[in-house]
Amino acid sequence: MTDTQRENTLTNELIELLHSSGRIFEIKKGSFLFQEGQAASEMYLILSGRIQISKMNAEGQELYLRLCSEHDIVGELTLFTEEPRYIFNARVMEDGYVAGIQLDLLEKALFQNSNLGYQFIKWMNDHIRSTMTKFRDLVLYGKKGALYSTLIRLTNSYGLLQEDGIHITVPITTQDLAHFCGTAREIISRMLTILKKQQIISIDHKKIIIHNLDYLKKENDCENCPVAQCTID
């Protein structure tokens, strides 16, 4: 997804509010912006870098939900709740900067500016629909469907069209894909091997190249959702 597409999803007015009203600070790879169960006081706008949003189940298995980058919001589900706590983990995957805005200040701004409130509700609606389709793919289409869905979403978020196919511009390991699909690395590895033998994809130094996107979409009975609802972020 290009920067223009991101800004169309999250409006310039909302970006400007979060940027100007927030405290800007540096984030370092390997650290956590916030962790599950931690008391929440801020919501964050990513200015640069990448952040992985995940959830840990009772058995300690980690499920990746989103890979967020510039102009993405994280921590949004803490708004308008009493004694809010973060329900996900936000691990920094790439150094960068974020703007953190106090929840009470943002809530006040959304109440006072009806247009801004509408923009935020619209963004939240798109975000929730995207999250619901991810869980649909994970639950209804099995492990293969979850993998194919993840690859499709990666092309929409970080795909760069080249002569030999669509290059995923962020490094993704087999373990990362397993976390996105909620299954074991060995299972994902076997499915990737089959896709490589069929020349559907290739992998070069943790960078995935999609050679036949239509195959993945057909196998998943793709509904051709709007790109904004079919992303990994």
Side-chain angles (χ1 to χ4, degrees):
M1 181 182 289
T2 65
D3 289 340
T4 300
Q5 286 174 305
R6 287 181 185 279
E7 291 181 16
N8 287 340
T9 303
L10 188 60
T11 65
N12 289 328
E13 186 178 359
L14 189 52
I15 290 173
E16 180 59 30
L17 170 68
L18 296 171
H19 190 288
S20 62
S21 302
R23 63 181 184 95
I24 297 175
F25 59 96
E26 187 175 10
I27 52 175
K28 288 293 188 179
K29 180 179 179 180
S31 64
F32 283 90
L33 183 59
F34 54 81
Q35 291 183 274
E36 186 176 346
Q38 177 184 339
S41 59
E42 290 182 305
M43 194 180 77
Y44 303 95
L45 172 69
I46 302 174
L47 304 178
S48 61
R50 289 194 174 89
I51 293 178
Q52 182 73 70
I53 304 300
S54 66
K55 180 76 173 178
M56 197 76 71
N57 66 16
E59 289 73 36
Q61 183 181 21
E62 190 174 18
L63 176 64
Y64 288 176
L65 300 174
R66 300 166 61 198
L67 179 59
C68 304
S69 55
E70 182 182 5
H71 290 165
D72 284 330
I73 291 175
V74 294
E76 71 284 351
L77 296 180
T78 57
L79 278 174
F80 303 109
T81 59
E82 294 185 9
E83 300 182 358
R85 293 186 178 274
Y86 296 113
I87 61 176
F88 301 123
N89 297 306
R91 187 197 306 271
V92 179
M93 308 302 290
E94 180 182 295
D95 294 352
Y97 288 87
V98 301
I101 182 171
Q102 292 289 322
L103 296 179
D104 56 347
L105 295 179
L106 179 57
E107 291 171 356
K108 183 178 180 180
L110 295 176
F111 273 124
Q112 293 178 341
N113 186 331
S114 59
N115 181 56
L116 192 65
Y118 168 77
Q119 292 174 15
F120 188 80
I121 291 172
K122 187 175 184 299
W123 175 83
M124 280 292 293
N125 180 65
D126 290 341
H127 174 56
I128 291 172
R129 286 172 66 91
S130 176
T131 300
M132 289 176 63
T133 59
K134 289 177 188 176
F135 282 115
R136 175 203 64 192
D137 295 344
L138 184 63
V139 173
L140 296 183
Y141 295 115
K143 296 178 177 61
K144 185 173 77 170
L147 174 61
Y148 291 5
S149 172
T150 299
L151 293 174
I152 294 168
R153 291 173 185 279
L154 283 168
T155 65
N156 288 335
S157 293
Y158 300 104
L160 180 63
L161 183 61
Q162 303 278 24
E163 289 185 2
D164 60 340
I166 303 173
H167 290 233
I168 308 301
T169 58
V170 294
I172 298 290
T173 67
T174 304
Q175 186 63 69
D176 290 334
L177 290 172
H179 283 312
F180 275 117
C181 298
T183 190
R185 182 183 62 81
E186 293 77 13
I187 293 174
I188 297 298
S189 180
R190 287 196 293 270
M191 289 191 288
L192 290 175
T193 298
I194 293 172
L195 289 175
K196 286 188 287 186
K197 287 181 178 178
Q198 294 174 330
Q199 298 184 332
I200 306 299
I201 70 167
S202 59
I203 301 176
D204 182 20
H205 296 92
K206 297 182 183 179
K207 295 291 183 70
I208 300 174
I209 304 172
I210 309 294
H211 302 294
N212 191 342
L213 182 62
D214 288 339
Y215 173 86
L216 299 177
K217 289 184 175 182
K218 182 179 179 180
E219 287 292 302
N220 252 31
D221 294 324
C222 183
E223 300 174 356
N224 291 314
C225 301
V227 171
Q229 296 175 18
C230 188
T231 63
I232 207 71
D233 47 27

